[in-house]
Amino acid sequence: MSHPAHHVVVIVGGGAAGATVASLLLKRRPDLDIAVVEPAETHWYQPAWTLVGAGAFDVAATGRPMASCLPGKVTWVRARASGFDPENNQVLLEDGRRIEYRFLVAAAGLQLDWHKIEGLEATLGNNGVTSNYRHDLAPYTWECIRNFSGGQALFTQPPMPIKCAGAPQKILYMAADHFRRRGLSAQLSFHTPGPAMFGVPFYSKALERVVAEYAIRPAYGQNLVAVDGPARKATFEVKQADRSERIEQPFEMLHVVPPQSAPDFIKSSPLADASGWVAVDKHSLRHARYDNVFGLGDCTTTPNSKTAAAVRAQAPVVTANLLDALEGREMSAKYDGYASCPLTTSVGKIMLAEFLYDGVPAPSFPLDPRIPRRAYWWLKKSYLPALYWGMLRGNLGLDWHAPRQFPEAVPAFKA
Ligand code: FAD
């Protein structure tokens, strides 16, 4: 058997997290031998799919060739990882090869479990059933909104954790705004297994005001389990104390966010804990058991909101701590749990939710972040995409986020 290829650093996944860490490492150590294992030919800027679904962004502008997103100096291994053998410092590839490393960075994102909702895959993209969680379906969301002529519009959110926990309701508000402007008679409902609109109470209370303004019906404790596209019926499991029942709901339009989990090859690997995610320390981002393994982005156990904004805060931490370990120093960097979720409360306004671990509000600007503002819409549409593409090249831009105190009472605002 031939010897496996060897690299000082192997990064699995060339998405937001993998590409950014590769670039940051090379900025500090231009001679570092890095391989990135990544099967995809296209790199997607997923945060803009929400705007695509509302007709406010061109889907073609959300994808770029992977080759242009990975630094030229890395060895790009165009293959899919199929497992990890951390005892032997090796990554296993689907084609049977192995790659050896001194340091490993797990950055393979998460898996969308469409198949867990009965009947969904057969009808996605037809019968008014859509999802902004796929680039090829986001334009169909806009088609559904544009062609909507009244009736029931359902929006669903699966159990946590998911990537961008705000995305399921962002499209809800923009659809509501469109229907309102057109004077349509629409009944909108938001179905979530959780007990609130958002996991951070500070923002959730403000979002309840948005829900009330649009007369949206929040359906808490409801989990989508089946879809019958041709019959236009959605089935929800409703849990109450010690029993659960199934209810059917007719729809004209159904926006689904699929259940999500760690990629299967991570779940079944020694890097995962019982939850299936890569088990890392929530501050150092180093693996709980393997000192030469780091993890970041959507694939880990860290209890932050899974976002590209979190990646931007995590990538410098992984870079610093990996280089500390490589060069024999104590690890020096700590991730504070920062994440950001630009909540589109209407077409043209955004509530810029930024927070740390434990839901501590940490806005970039010294303004009450619960008030939706037009300036943040511009930020989302123009500045953040540019920031993202720059981040992949190791340019992180300015970072002003800081914990700040605000009055408990939600201020008055219009969505
Ligand atoms: P990804 O960027 O998904 O990259 C994972 C990479 O791993 C991919 O390139 C994939 O091909 C690769 N990979 C997968 N399996 C393997 C394998 N077996 N072997 C090798 N490579 C593999 N974030 C925000 O900050 N703000 C937002 O407003 C926002 N909105 C969003 C809206 C939507 C609809 C969606 C879908 C996401 C949104 N996000 C948002 C979340 C953001 O896109 C992710 O959190 C971010 O991309 C995570 O980066 P990542 O590198 O961990 O995963």
Side-chain angles (χ1 to χ4, degrees):
M1 205 171 76
S2 61
H3 279 298
H6 176 94
H7 297 275
V8 176
V9 178
V10 173
I11 300 174
V12 175
T20 305
V21 168
S23 294
L24 290 177
L25 284 169
L26 286 169
K27 266 195 154 180
R28 288 196 38 193
R29 283 275 306 265
D31 58 337
L32 199 60
D33 167 25
I34 304 175
V36 177
V37 180
E38 169 60 68
E41 290 292 334
T42 305
H43 183 117
W44 294 102
Y45 175 56
Q46 304 166 46
W49 294 347
T50 294
L51 297 180
V52 172
F57 208 91
D58 176 11
V59 73
T62 67
R64 290 195 181 174
M66 186 61 75
S68 71
C69 296
L70 296 177
K73 279 190 185 166
V74 303
T75 304
W76 176 14
V77 181
R78 287 172 156 86
R80 187 171 287 282
S82 60
F84 296 103
D85 178 3
E87 302 297 339
N88 292 304
N89 299 324
Q90 290 181 353
V91 174
L92 284 59
L93 304 184
E94 226 170 50
D95 59 19
R97 286 181 292 161
R98 286 171 171 253
I99 308 183
E100 209 169 63
Y101 56 80
R102 257 179 85 193
F103 286 90
L104 171 70
V105 179
L110 57 64
Q111 175 175 300
L112 300 174
D113 295 324
W114 303 99
H115 62 278
K116 286 191 182 160
I117 297 172
E118 197 187 316
L120 176 61
E121 281 171 301
T123 190
L124 270 172
N126 288 299
N127 305 310
V129 183
T130 188
S131 178
N132 284 345
Y133 274 66
R134 260 177 37 189
H135 70 91
D136 57 326
L137 290 171
Y140 183 61
T141 303
W142 176 226
E143 201 180 310
C144 291
I145 292 174
R146 235 179 25 222
N147 295 337
F148 191 79
S149 56
Q152 303 267 358
L154 318 186
F155 296 79
T156 75
Q157 175 172 297
M160 291 293 138
I162 62 168
K163 55 180 158 187
C164 196
Q169 63 193 284
K170 292 177 191 177
I171 192 63
L172 163 73
Y173 304 138
M174 287 191 290
D177 187 22
H178 271 292
F179 302 158
R180 181 171 66 179
R181 283 169 201 230
R182 283 161 51 206
L184 294 175
S185 154
Q187 292 87 51
L188 290 97
S189 51
F190 184 67
H191 304 254
T192 169
M197 287 305 292
F198 200 62
V200 179
F202 177 76
Y203 293 109
S204 194
K205 288 192 198 112
L207 290 165
E208 279 169 21
R209 184 163 292 183
V210 179
V211 165
E213 187 181 322
Y214 287 119
I216 291 163
R217 180 173 72 88
Y220 298 127
Q222 292 199 7
N223 191 25
L224 179 70
V225 290
V227 180
D228 183 338
R232 296 203 179 223
K233 274 192 190 138
T235 306
F236 295 93
E237 192 167 68
V238 188
K239 284 219 163 85
Q240 272 152 353
D242 52 350
R243 66 191 175 86
S244 78
E245 59 170 350
R246 289 188 166 209
I247 56 165
E248 273 188 359
Q249 180 90 42
F251 63 82
E252 300 306 318
M253 173 189 166
L254 171 66
H255 180 271
V256 179
V257 175
Q260 302 172 33
S261 64
D264 286 341
F265 81 101
I266 288 181
K267 279 189 202 114
S268 59
S269 83
L271 297 189
D273 73 2
S275 70
W277 306 96
V278 176
V280 298
D281 176 81
K282 70 177 192 173
H283 294 299
S284 72
L285 305 179
R286 179 153 81 170
H287 196 270
R289 294 183 300 280
Y290 303 102
D291 283 355
N292 62 340
V293 177
F294 291 83
L296 79 164
D298 294 349
C299 69
T300 79
T301 48
T302 57
N304 57 278
S305 176
K306 295 183 186 297
T307 53
V311 166
R312 177 163 165 259
Q314 292 172 346
V317 173
V318 167
T319 303
N321 288 344
L322 190 155
L323 291 179
D324 284 338
L326 178 71
E327 293 160 7
R329 294 184 297 268
E330 284 281 298
M331 290 191 298
S332 55
K334 281 193 173 145
Y335 170 53
D336 59 7
Y338 176 77
S340 157
C341 201
L343 292 148
T344 48
T345 54
S346 59
V347 180
K349 274 196 197 173
I350 278 181
M351 182 189 293
L352 188 57
E354 294 176 274
F355 43 95
L356 311 178
Y357 281 139
D358 303 320
V360 176
S364 296
F365 308 100
L367 300 168
D368 194 315
R370 292 167 294 185
I371 299 181
R373 296 174 201 273
R374 294 198 182 278
Y376 298 155
W377 176 267
W378 172 84
L379 197 88
K380 165 102 185 143
K381 222 176 125 112
S382 304
Y383 176 71
L384 293 180
L387 182 73
Y388 180 89
W389 298 116
M391 172 179 97
L392 302 184
R393 288 191 201 93
N395 303 319
L396 298 177
L398 296 168
D399 183 0
W400 300 303
H401 84 261
R404 298 180 210 265
Q405 298 276 333
F406 294 95
E408 170 116 11
V410 179
F413 63 80
K414 289 288 279 175

